[in-house]
Amino acid sequence: MNYKESRQILEEIKKAKKILISCHRGPDPDSIGSSLALYYFLTSLDKEVKVVCLSDVPDYCNYLPSFEVIRRIDYKRFDFSKYDLFIIPDSGSWDMVVGSDSIEQPQIASLVIDHHKTNKGFGKINLIDEKTSSTAEILYLMFKDLDIKITPDIATALLTGIIGDTGVFQFEGVGAKTLDIAKNLMELGANKDEIVLNIYNSYDFKLLGLLGEVLLRMEEDKKYKFVWSAIPFDIYNKHSRPESAKEVAATMFSRIVKETDFGMVMIEIKEKSLAISLRTRTGFDVSKLAEALGGGGHKNAAGAIIEGKGYEEAVEEVLQVARKLVKNK
Ligand SMILES: [Mn+2]
């Protein structure tokens, strides 16, 4: 057995008739792939399943079958009472699911399956393994525990999560175990080339203008060894506010400069709301920085949002917190 929780999770699933699955806000390939892998499995058991998300779902994962079942919902008005089980993959906190701490968790049984280091376990059952590359990898190990048949669709959804969360196996710490699972998923029918083409080589041309702005504004802090770039709302708005911009920019540009340890991309996504995306270059734990800024994530990739402060003030705060953390490291 990989996980002692696997059996318990299956028992909860067997008991339930109507199951709700939620992606996290601003869903990424791991969130979408893990949610759909669960959807394929649960519908094969004849469960009634609904997959929901707080945000718009980026269409780069639309090669996954039944992608269109994922519905954007407003959690403030959502009626949970119709469901008897709530499965939450890849969300490090309740806030990541609903976008606000002021919305209470519903009374129905919940399963939290996740690999975020900062996850404190907010479900009835929590399967949290921070040593895995992705939630998709946890699901693979859980399906193996339970002798669940991994169909080509499940394999493709799980490999989507792994490829998304490892930057195509690039990130530090991605090792033989993850590559072995990826190999198994390919043998089970996952199409690696289709996944990479759709996730990494299919950007909207309009996004390039904003990526150009990120590069032009990038600065290097030589003393504290990081790079950073900040985009105010008017520039973001001028480039039609692409939701994936900060993750794409952070992954592409913030971990490639020699003699730096990490990088930050900050985008003012609406007035007084600065979203920060962090990536490590050398293993500097950016989840600690994200936590110090009120966010969370992984050692390699993390994020936060500063709300209620003006642009200049928020950017200055991020820089100060980063410098202080490096100094005390
Ligand atoms: Mn993930």
Side-chain angles (χ1 to χ4, degrees), residues 216-260:
L216 282 172
R217 287 158 188 268
M218 191 152 270
E219 295 193 39
E220 183 182 14
D221 187 319
K222 286 202 169 167
K223 184 168 173 206
Y224 294 99
K225 295 192 170 168
F226 63 86
V227 289
W228 60 279
S229 180
I231 303 286
F233 182 73
D234 60 325
I235 301 287
Y236 184 52
N237 196 34
K238 194 178 103 186
H239 291 281
S240 59
R241 288 173 280 162
E243 263 202 67
S244 59
K246 78 183 156 59
E247 274 81 24
V248 173
T251 301
M252 275 187 180
F253 309 132
S254 69
R255 42 183 285 275
I256 57 169
V257 181
K258 69 177 180 183
E259 284 159 30
T260 63

mmCIF file of all heavy atoms in Angstrom, residues 216-260:
data_model
loop_
_atom_site.group_PDB
_atom_site.id
_atom_site.type_symbol
_atom_site.label_atom_id
_atom_site.label_comp_id
_atom_site.label_asym_id
_atom_site.label_seq_id
_atom_site.Cartn_x
_atom_site.Cartn_y
_atom_site.Cartn_z
ATOM 1 N N LEU A 216 10.536 43.316 -20.216
ATOM 2 C CA LEU A 216 11.060 44.679 -20.229
ATOM 3 C C LEU A 216 11.187 45.270 -18.835
ATOM 4 O O LEU A 216 12.077 46.057 -18.556
ATOM 5 C CB LEU A 216 10.143 45.588 -21.060
ATOM 6 C CG LEU A 216 10.288 45.479 -22.573
ATOM 7 C CD1 LEU A 216 9.188 46.286 -23.256
ATOM 8 C CD2 LEU A 216 11.661 45.976 -23.025
ATOM 9 N N ARG A 217 10.256 44.879 -17.961
ATOM 10 C CA ARG A 217 10.241 45.443 -16.613
ATOM 11 C C ARG A 217 11.036 44.609 -15.617
ATOM 12 O O ARG A 217 11.032 44.912 -14.423
ATOM 13 C CB ARG A 217 8.786 45.534 -16.131
ATOM 14 C CG ARG A 217 8.035 46.632 -16.826
ATOM 15 C CD ARG A 217 6.532 46.371 -16.774
ATOM 16 N NE ARG A 217 5.846 47.340 -17.606
ATOM 17 C CZ ARG A 217 5.372 48.498 -17.148
ATOM 18 N NH1 ARG A 217 5.464 48.780 -15.876
ATOM 19 N NH2 ARG A 217 4.800 49.348 -17.959
ATOM 20 N N MET A 218 11.645 43.550 -16.075
ATOM 21 C CA MET A 218 12.335 42.673 -15.135
ATOM 22 C C MET A 218 13.586 43.340 -14.567
ATOM 23 O O MET A 218 14.337 43.981 -15.289
ATOM 24 C CB MET A 218 12.693 41.361 -15.821
ATOM 25 C CG MET A 218 13.161 40.326 -14.828
ATOM 26 S SD MET A 218 12.828 38.655 -15.379
ATOM 27 C CE MET A 218 11.210 38.352 -14.718
ATOM 28 N N GLU A 219 13.742 43.192 -13.259
ATOM 29 C CA GLU A 219 14.917 43.760 -12.594
ATOM 30 C C GLU A 219 15.624 42.676 -11.795
ATOM 31 O O GLU A 219 15.013 41.701 -11.386
ATOM 32 C CB GLU A 219 14.484 44.892 -11.660
ATOM 33 C CG GLU A 219 13.894 46.059 -12.451
ATOM 34 C CD GLU A 219 13.750 47.310 -11.605
ATOM 35 O OE1 GLU A 219 14.652 47.573 -10.778
ATOM 36 O OE2 GLU A 219 12.727 47.985 -11.770
ATOM 37 N N GLU A 220 16.913 42.921 -11.603
ATOM 38 C CA GLU A 220 17.715 41.954 -10.859
ATOM 39 C C GLU A 220 18.150 42.581 -9.538
ATOM 40 O O GLU A 220 18.658 43.703 -9.517
ATOM 41 C CB GLU A 220 18.952 41.571 -11.690
ATOM 42 C CG GLU A 220 19.808 40.521 -11.015
ATOM 43 C CD GLU A 220 21.068 40.180 -11.807
ATOM 44 O OE1 GLU A 220 21.420 40.933 -12.735
ATOM 45 O OE2 GLU A 220 21.698 39.155 -11.484
ATOM 46 N N ASP A 221 17.914 41.848 -8.449
ATOM 47 C CA ASP A 221 18.439 42.284 -7.164
ATOM 48 C C ASP A 221 19.704 41.467 -6.905
ATOM 49 O O ASP A 221 19.622 40.295 -6.507
ATOM 50 C CB ASP A 221 17.392 42.049 -6.061
ATOM 51 C CG ASP A 221 17.835 42.637 -4.740
ATOM 52 O OD1 ASP A 221 19.041 42.513 -4.411
ATOM 53 O OD2 ASP A 221 16.991 43.227 -4.035
ATOM 54 N N LYS A 222 20.843 42.089 -7.176
ATOM 55 C CA LYS A 222 22.097 41.326 -7.110
ATOM 56 C C LYS A 222 22.473 40.955 -5.690
ATOM 57 O O LYS A 222 23.035 39.900 -5.434
ATOM 58 C CB LYS A 222 23.233 42.140 -7.752
ATOM 59 C CG LYS A 222 23.106 42.167 -9.253
ATOM 60 C CD LYS A 222 24.427 42.464 -9.929
ATOM 61 C CE LYS A 222 24.245 42.187 -11.385
ATOM 62 N NZ LYS A 222 25.208 42.629 -12.304
ATOM 63 N N LYS A 223 22.135 41.850 -4.765
ATOM 64 C CA LYS A 223 22.503 41.593 -3.383
ATOM 65 C C LYS A 223 21.748 40.384 -2.826
ATOM 66 O O LYS A 223 22.330 39.495 -2.224
ATOM 67 C CB LYS A 223 22.227 42.837 -2.544
ATOM 68 C CG LYS A 223 22.663 42.682 -1.116
ATOM 69 C CD LYS A 223 22.652 44.003 -0.357
ATOM 70 C CE LYS A 223 22.932 43.735 1.104
ATOM 71 N NZ LYS A 223 22.352 44.788 1.950
ATOM 72 N N TYR A 224 20.433 40.372 -3.065
ATOM 73 C CA TYR A 224 19.620 39.296 -2.489
ATOM 74 C C TYR A 224 19.346 38.169 -3.483
ATOM 75 O O TYR A 224 18.605 37.240 -3.194
ATOM 76 C CB TYR A 224 18.326 39.878 -1.910
ATOM 77 C CG TYR A 224 18.598 40.788 -0.730
ATOM 78 C CD1 TYR A 224 18.632 42.171 -0.874
ATOM 79 C CD2 TYR A 224 18.862 40.237 0.518
ATOM 80 C CE1 TYR A 224 18.912 42.989 0.203
ATOM 81 C CE2 TYR A 224 19.134 41.047 1.606
ATOM 82 C CZ TYR A 224 19.166 42.427 1.448
ATOM 83 O OH TYR A 224 19.443 43.231 2.516
ATOM 84 N N LYS A 225 19.934 38.280 -4.655
ATOM 85 C CA LYS A 225 19.923 37.189 -5.649
ATOM 86 C C LYS A 225 18.536 36.739 -6.104
ATOM 87 O O LYS A 225 18.173 35.562 -5.971
ATOM 88 C CB LYS A 225 20.722 35.992 -5.121
ATOM 89 C CG LYS A 225 22.194 36.320 -4.954
ATOM 90 C CD LYS A 225 22.970 35.061 -4.735
ATOM 91 C CE LYS A 225 24.445 35.376 -4.810
ATOM 92 N NZ LYS A 225 25.297 34.320 -4.354
ATOM 93 N N PHE A 226 17.769 37.697 -6.584
ATOM 94 C CA PHE A 226 16.516 37.300 -7.243
ATOM 95 C C PHE A 226 16.204 38.283 -8.373
ATOM 96 O O PHE A 226 16.805 39.359 -8.454
ATOM 97 C CB PHE A 226 15.359 37.211 -6.240
ATOM 98 C CG PHE A 226 14.967 38.492 -5.555
ATOM 99 C CD1 PHE A 226 14.072 39.381 -6.145
ATOM 100 C CD2 PHE A 226 15.460 38.802 -4.286
ATOM 101 C CE1 PHE A 226 13.688 40.560 -5.504
ATOM 102 C CE2 PHE A 226 15.091 39.980 -3.631
ATOM 103 C CZ PHE A 226 14.194 40.858 -4.240
ATOM 104 N N VAL A 227 15.311 37.860 -9.251
ATOM 105 C CA VAL A 227 14.788 38.778 -10.263
ATOM 106 C C VAL A 227 13.310 38.998 -9.985
ATOM 107 O O VAL A 227 12.645 38.151 -9.381
ATOM 108 C CB VAL A 227 14.964 38.247 -11.708
ATOM 109 C CG1 VAL A 227 16.426 38.282 -12.135
ATOM 110 C CG2 VAL A 227 14.374 36.858 -11.879
ATOM 111 N N TRP A 228 12.805 40.135 -10.413
ATOM 112 C CA TRP A 228 11.384 40.395 -10.225
ATOM 113 C C TRP A 228 10.876 41.322 -11.322
ATOM 114 O O TRP A 228 11.641 42.094 -11.919
ATOM 115 C CB TRP A 228 11.120 41.007 -8.844
ATOM 116 C CG TRP A 228 11.817 42.317 -8.607
ATOM 117 C CD1 TRP A 228 13.123 42.500 -8.244
ATOM 118 C CD2 TRP A 228 11.246 43.626 -8.718
ATOM 119 N NE1 TRP A 228 13.400 43.828 -8.114
ATOM 120 C CE2 TRP A 228 12.277 44.551 -8.397
ATOM 121 C CE3 TRP A 228 9.975 44.098 -9.041
ATOM 122 C CZ2 TRP A 228 12.054 45.931 -8.406
ATOM 123 C CZ3 TRP A 228 9.768 45.471 -9.048
ATOM 124 C CH2 TRP A 228 10.797 46.362 -8.728
ATOM 125 N N SER A 229 9.584 41.201 -11.599
ATOM 126 C CA SER A 229 8.942 42.077 -12.565
ATOM 127 C C SER A 229 7.541 42.359 -12.056
ATOM 128 O O SER A 229 6.889 41.467 -11.503
ATOM 129 C CB SER A 229 8.872 41.380 -13.928
ATOM 130 O OG SER A 229 8.258 42.233 -14.869
ATOM 131 N N ALA A 230 7.095 43.598 -12.199
ATOM 132 C CA ALA A 230 5.762 43.960 -11.717
ATOM 133 C C ALA A 230 4.991 44.708 -12.803
ATOM 134 O O ALA A 230 5.533 45.582 -13.481
ATOM 135 C CB ALA A 230 5.873 44.802 -10.452
ATOM 136 N N ILE A 231 3.735 44.329 -12.965
ATOM 137 C CA ILE A 231 2.869 44.890 -14.008
ATOM 138 C C ILE A 231 1.660 45.557 -13.344
ATOM 139 O O ILE A 231 0.879 44.879 -12.671
ATOM 140 C CB ILE A 231 2.351 43.757 -14.938
ATOM 141 C CG1 ILE A 231 3.506 42.974 -15.577
ATOM 142 C CG2 ILE A 231 1.380 44.293 -15.981
ATOM 143 C CD1 ILE A 231 4.233 43.680 -16.677
ATOM 144 N N PRO A 232 1.503 46.873 -13.527
ATOM 145 C CA PRO A 232 0.314 47.532 -12.953
ATOM 146 C C PRO A 232 -0.953 47.212 -13.756
ATOM 147 O O PRO A 232 -0.866 46.753 -14.900
ATOM 148 C CB PRO A 232 0.656 49.019 -13.058
ATOM 149 C CG PRO A 232 1.620 49.113 -14.184
ATOM 150 C CD PRO A 232 2.362 47.810 -14.247
ATOM 151 N N PHE A 233 -2.086 47.456 -13.126
ATOM 152 C CA PHE A 233 -3.356 47.065 -13.740
ATOM 153 C C PHE A 233 -3.572 47.664 -15.133
ATOM 154 O O PHE A 233 -4.074 46.979 -16.032
ATOM 155 C CB PHE A 233 -4.541 47.433 -12.829
ATOM 156 C CG PHE A 233 -5.853 47.001 -13.406
ATOM 157 C CD1 PHE A 233 -6.206 45.659 -13.432
ATOM 158 C CD2 PHE A 233 -6.716 47.937 -13.978
ATOM 159 C CE1 PHE A 233 -7.401 45.239 -14.007
ATOM 160 C CE2 PHE A 233 -7.919 47.521 -14.548
ATOM 161 C CZ PHE A 233 -8.257 46.176 -14.555
ATOM 162 N N ASP A 234 -3.180 48.920 -15.343
ATOM 163 C CA ASP A 234 -3.475 49.528 -16.661
ATOM 164 C C ASP A 234 -2.770 48.790 -17.804
ATOM 165 O O ASP A 234 -3.338 48.606 -18.882
ATOM 166 C CB ASP A 234 -3.170 51.035 -16.673
ATOM 167 C CG ASP A 234 -1.714 51.337 -16.369
ATOM 168 O OD1 ASP A 234 -1.111 50.603 -15.561
ATOM 169 O OD2 ASP A 234 -1.165 52.297 -16.944
ATOM 170 N N ILE A 235 -1.549 48.313 -17.529
ATOM 171 C CA ILE A 235 -0.831 47.555 -18.567
ATOM 172 C C ILE A 235 -1.474 46.173 -18.750
ATOM 173 O O ILE A 235 -1.686 45.704 -19.868
ATOM 174 C CB ILE A 235 0.661 47.377 -18.174
ATOM 175 C CG1 ILE A 235 1.338 48.736 -17.975
ATOM 176 C CG2 ILE A 235 1.405 46.523 -19.194
ATOM 177 C CD1 ILE A 235 1.616 49.500 -19.239
ATOM 178 N N TYR A 236 -1.818 45.558 -17.626
ATOM 179 C CA TYR A 236 -2.475 44.233 -17.682
ATOM 180 C C TYR A 236 -3.788 44.333 -18.463
ATOM 181 O O TYR A 236 -4.096 43.514 -19.327
ATOM 182 C CB TYR A 236 -2.723 43.767 -16.244
ATOM 183 C CG TYR A 236 -3.297 42.379 -16.093
ATOM 184 C CD1 TYR A 236 -2.716 41.286 -16.712
ATOM 185 C CD2 TYR A 236 -4.423 42.162 -15.290
ATOM 186 C CE1 TYR A 236 -3.233 40.008 -16.545
ATOM 187 C CE2 TYR A 236 -4.943 40.890 -15.112
ATOM 188 C CZ TYR A 236 -4.351 39.819 -15.743
ATOM 189 O OH TYR A 236 -4.864 38.548 -15.572
ATOM 190 N N ASN A 237 -4.520 45.372 -18.166
ATOM 191 C CA ASN A 237 -5.802 45.601 -18.822
ATOM 192 C C ASN A 237 -5.634 45.858 -20.317
ATOM 193 O O ASN A 237 -6.393 45.363 -21.142
ATOM 194 C CB ASN A 237 -6.494 46.789 -18.132
ATOM 195 C CG ASN A 237 -7.959 46.864 -18.478
ATOM 196 O OD1 ASN A 237 -8.607 45.841 -18.665
ATOM 197 N ND2 ASN A 237 -8.464 48.083 -18.596
ATOM 198 N N LYS A 238 -4.593 46.619 -20.659
ATOM 199 C CA LYS A 238 -4.310 46.939 -22.075
ATOM 200 C C LYS A 238 -4.079 45.657 -22.883
ATOM 201 O O LYS A 238 -4.423 45.579 -24.056
ATOM 202 C CB LYS A 238 -3.062 47.835 -22.132
ATOM 203 C CG LYS A 238 -2.840 48.510 -23.470
ATOM 204 C CD LYS A 238 -1.611 49.406 -23.437
ATOM 205 C CE LYS A 238 -0.456 48.721 -24.129
ATOM 206 N NZ LYS A 238 0.816 49.481 -24.022
ATOM 207 N N HIS A 239 -3.524 44.651 -22.236
ATOM 208 C CA HIS A 239 -3.261 43.379 -22.916
ATOM 209 C C HIS A 239 -4.372 42.357 -22.668
ATOM 210 O O HIS A 239 -4.140 41.161 -22.677
ATOM 211 C CB HIS A 239 -1.904 42.821 -22.476
ATOM 212 C CG HIS A 239 -0.753 43.631 -22.981
ATOM 213 N ND1 HIS A 239 -0.277 43.526 -24.263
ATOM 214 C CD2 HIS A 239 -0.026 44.606 -22.391
ATOM 215 C CE1 HIS A 239 0.723 44.388 -24.442
ATOM 216 N NE2 HIS A 239 0.901 45.047 -23.321
ATOM 217 N N SER A 240 -5.554 42.853 -22.404
ATOM 218 C CA SER A 240 -6.792 42.065 -22.249
ATOM 219 C C SER A 240 -6.758 41.004 -21.144
ATOM 220 O O SER A 240 -7.454 39.991 -21.226
ATOM 221 C CB SER A 240 -7.262 41.487 -23.589
ATOM 222 O OG SER A 240 -6.289 40.650 -24.160
ATOM 223 N N ARG A 241 -5.986 41.283 -20.113
ATOM 224 C CA ARG A 241 -6.012 40.518 -18.855
ATOM 225 C C ARG A 241 -5.991 38.998 -19.004
ATOM 226 O O ARG A 241 -6.889 38.310 -18.502
ATOM 227 C CB ARG A 241 -7.245 40.918 -18.040
ATOM 228 C CG ARG A 241 -7.135 42.291 -17.439
ATOM 229 C CD ARG A 241 -8.427 42.712 -16.800
ATOM 230 N NE ARG A 241 -9.366 43.197 -17.804
ATOM 231 C CZ ARG A 241 -10.664 43.326 -17.638
ATOM 232 N NH1 ARG A 241 -11.211 42.991 -16.511
ATOM 233 N NH2 ARG A 241 -11.416 43.793 -18.596
ATOM 234 N N PRO A 242 -5.006 38.435 -19.658
ATOM 235 C CA PRO A 242 -4.967 36.963 -19.749
ATOM 236 C C PRO A 242 -4.712 36.332 -18.376
ATOM 237 O O PRO A 242 -3.737 36.667 -17.703
ATOM 238 C CB PRO A 242 -3.796 36.685 -20.698
ATOM 239 C CG PRO A 242 -2.973 37.922 -20.681
ATOM 240 C CD PRO A 242 -3.863 39.072 -20.305
ATOM 241 N N GLU A 243 -5.628 35.443 -17.968
ATOM 242 C CA GLU A 243 -5.569 34.907 -16.604
ATOM 243 C C GLU A 243 -4.314 34.083 -16.315
ATOM 244 O O GLU A 243 -3.833 34.043 -15.198
ATOM 245 C CB GLU A 243 -6.804 34.032 -16.336
ATOM 246 C CG GLU A 243 -7.903 34.804 -15.610
ATOM 247 C CD GLU A 243 -8.847 33.878 -14.880
ATOM 248 O OE1 GLU A 243 -8.418 33.232 -13.911
ATOM 249 O OE2 GLU A 243 -10.025 33.806 -15.282
ATOM 250 N N SER A 244 -3.802 33.423 -17.336
ATOM 251 C CA SER A 244 -2.659 32.537 -17.110
ATOM 252 C C SER A 244 -1.327 33.287 -17.120
ATOM 253 O O SER A 244 -0.275 32.700 -16.882
ATOM 254 C CB SER A 244 -2.635 31.459 -18.194
ATOM 255 O OG SER A 244 -2.532 32.077 -19.463
ATOM 256 N N ALA A 245 -1.362 34.606 -17.380
ATOM 257 C CA ALA A 245 -0.124 35.357 -17.645
ATOM 258 C C ALA A 245 0.932 35.226 -16.554
ATOM 259 O O ALA A 245 2.104 35.005 -16.845
ATOM 260 C CB ALA A 245 -0.458 36.829 -17.867
ATOM 261 N N LYS A 246 0.518 35.353 -15.296
ATOM 262 C CA LYS A 246 1.584 35.398 -14.281
ATOM 263 C C LYS A 246 2.253 34.038 -14.112
ATOM 264 O O LYS A 246 3.462 33.968 -13.944
ATOM 265 C CB LYS A 246 1.090 35.991 -12.961
ATOM 266 C CG LYS A 246 0.289 35.083 -12.102
ATOM 267 C CD LYS A 246 -0.191 35.806 -10.860
ATOM 268 C CE LYS A 246 -1.410 35.165 -10.282
ATOM 269 N NZ LYS A 246 -1.299 33.773 -9.896
ATOM 270 N N GLU A 247 1.471 32.954 -14.197
ATOM 271 C CA GLU A 247 2.090 31.617 -14.099
ATOM 272 C C GLU A 247 3.026 31.367 -15.287
ATOM 273 O O GLU A 247 4.140 30.889 -15.126
ATOM 274 C CB GLU A 247 1.030 30.503 -14.069
ATOM 275 C CG GLU A 247 0.496 30.198 -12.691
ATOM 276 C CD GLU A 247 -0.560 31.177 -12.264
ATOM 277 O OE1 GLU A 247 -1.191 31.791 -13.159
ATOM 278 O OE2 GLU A 247 -0.753 31.361 -11.049
ATOM 279 N N VAL A 248 2.532 31.705 -16.478
ATOM 280 C CA VAL A 248 3.352 31.472 -17.676
ATOM 281 C C VAL A 248 4.633 32.296 -17.599
ATOM 282 O O VAL A 248 5.745 31.787 -17.800
ATOM 283 C CB VAL A 248 2.556 31.834 -18.956
ATOM 284 C CG1 VAL A 248 3.455 31.752 -20.190
ATOM 285 C CG2 VAL A 248 1.361 30.905 -19.134
ATOM 286 N N ALA A 249 4.486 33.580 -17.264
ATOM 287 C CA ALA A 249 5.658 34.458 -17.190
ATOM 288 C C ALA A 249 6.623 33.996 -16.103
ATOM 289 O O ALA A 249 7.842 33.975 -16.298
ATOM 290 C CB ALA A 249 5.214 35.901 -16.928
ATOM 291 N N ALA A 250 6.076 33.592 -14.956
ATOM 292 C CA ALA A 250 6.944 33.158 -13.860
ATOM 293 C C ALA A 250 7.706 31.902 -14.255
ATOM 294 O O ALA A 250 8.909 31.790 -14.033
ATOM 295 C CB ALA A 250 6.114 32.910 -12.602
ATOM 296 N N THR A 251 7.008 30.959 -14.848
ATOM 297 C CA THR A 251 7.659 29.703 -15.233
ATOM 298 C C THR A 251 8.711 29.955 -16.318
ATOM 299 O O THR A 251 9.805 29.398 -16.269
ATOM 300 C CB THR A 251 6.600 28.687 -15.719
ATOM 301 O OG1 THR A 251 5.680 28.484 -14.657
ATOM 302 C CG2 THR A 251 7.223 27.356 -16.082
ATOM 303 N N MET A 252 8.389 30.823 -17.271
ATOM 304 C CA MET A 252 9.314 31.054 -18.381
ATOM 305 C C MET A 252 10.538 31.877 -17.994
ATOM 306 O O MET A 252 11.646 31.562 -18.396
ATOM 307 C CB MET A 252 8.601 31.808 -19.508
ATOM 308 C CG MET A 252 7.842 30.931 -20.443
ATOM 309 S SD MET A 252 7.252 31.966 -21.796
ATOM 310 C CE MET A 252 6.400 30.736 -22.763
ATOM 311 N N PHE A 253 10.320 32.953 -17.239
ATOM 312 C CA PHE A 253 11.400 33.936 -17.094
ATOM 313 C C PHE A 253 11.998 34.063 -15.706
ATOM 314 O O PHE A 253 13.076 34.632 -15.558
ATOM 315 C CB PHE A 253 10.907 35.336 -17.490
ATOM 316 C CG PHE A 253 10.241 35.395 -18.824
ATOM 317 C CD1 PHE A 253 9.017 36.035 -18.974
ATOM 318 C CD2 PHE A 253 10.831 34.811 -19.938
ATOM 319 C CE1 PHE A 253 8.396 36.091 -20.213
ATOM 320 C CE2 PHE A 253 10.219 34.863 -21.178
ATOM 321 C CZ PHE A 253 8.993 35.506 -21.315
ATOM 322 N N SER A 254 11.303 33.596 -14.661
ATOM 323 C CA SER A 254 11.778 33.988 -13.340
ATOM 324 C C SER A 254 12.751 32.977 -12.733
ATOM 325 O O SER A 254 13.222 33.162 -11.627
ATOM 326 C CB SER A 254 10.605 34.279 -12.404
ATOM 327 O OG SER A 254 9.939 33.099 -12.118
ATOM 328 N N ARG A 255 13.068 31.930 -13.457
ATOM 329 C CA ARG A 255 14.026 30.959 -12.904
ATOM 330 C C ARG A 255 15.135 30.632 -13.900
ATOM 331 O O ARG A 255 15.635 29.519 -13.954
ATOM 332 C CB ARG A 255 13.290 29.685 -12.465
ATOM 333 C CG ARG A 255 12.227 29.202 -13.424
ATOM 334 C CD ARG A 255 11.495 27.991 -12.900
ATOM 335 N NE ARG A 255 12.314 26.816 -13.018
ATOM 336 C CZ ARG A 255 12.423 26.057 -14.109
ATOM 337 N NH1 ARG A 255 11.738 26.355 -15.186
ATOM 338 N NH2 ARG A 255 13.207 25.008 -14.122
ATOM 339 N N ILE A 256 15.498 31.635 -14.684
ATOM 340 C CA ILE A 256 16.481 31.356 -15.744
ATOM 341 C C ILE A 256 17.704 32.273 -15.682
ATOM 342 O O ILE A 256 18.573 32.182 -16.550
ATOM 343 C CB ILE A 256 15.834 31.488 -17.143
ATOM 344 C CG1 ILE A 256 15.236 32.883 -17.337
ATOM 345 C CG2 ILE A 256 14.792 30.410 -17.366
ATOM 346 C CD1 ILE A 256 14.830 33.178 -18.767
ATOM 347 N N VAL A 257 17.766 33.157 -14.684
ATOM 348 C CA VAL A 257 18.876 34.115 -14.678
ATOM 349 C C VAL A 257 20.011 33.604 -13.789
ATOM 350 O O VAL A 257 19.788 33.279 -12.618
ATOM 351 C CB VAL A 257 18.398 35.503 -14.185
ATOM 352 C CG1 VAL A 257 19.560 36.494 -14.207
ATOM 353 C CG2 VAL A 257 17.264 36.004 -15.066
ATOM 354 N N LYS A 258 21.194 33.556 -14.355
ATOM 355 C CA LYS A 258 22.318 32.992 -13.601
ATOM 356 C C LYS A 258 22.629 33.848 -12.369
ATOM 357 O O LYS A 258 22.359 35.050 -12.350
ATOM 358 C CB LYS A 258 23.548 32.831 -14.487
ATOM 359 C CG LYS A 258 24.206 34.110 -14.930
ATOM 360 C CD LYS A 258 25.456 33.791 -15.746
ATOM 361 C CE LYS A 258 26.121 35.081 -16.197
ATOM 362 N NZ LYS A 258 27.282 34.845 -17.037
ATOM 363 N N GLU A 259 23.170 33.182 -11.374
ATOM 364 C CA GLU A 259 23.510 33.811 -10.101
ATOM 365 C C GLU A 259 22.309 34.402 -9.359
ATOM 366 O O GLU A 259 22.430 35.360 -8.600
ATOM 367 C CB GLU A 259 24.616 34.862 -10.282
ATOM 368 C CG GLU A 259 25.975 34.183 -10.463
ATOM 369 C CD GLU A 259 27.014 35.061 -11.139
ATOM 370 O OE1 GLU A 259 26.937 36.285 -10.969
ATOM 371 O OE2 GLU A 259 27.881 34.499 -11.824
ATOM 372 N N THR A 260 21.129 33.854 -9.635
ATOM 373 C CA THR A 260 19.969 34.201 -8.804
ATOM 374 C C THR A 260 19.433 32.900 -8.200
ATOM 375 O O THR A 260 19.708 31.816 -8.706
ATOM 376 C CB THR A 260 18.836 34.865 -9.621
ATOM 377 O OG1 THR A 260 18.350 33.931 -10.593
ATOM 378 C CG2 THR A 260 19.322 36.123 -10.313
#
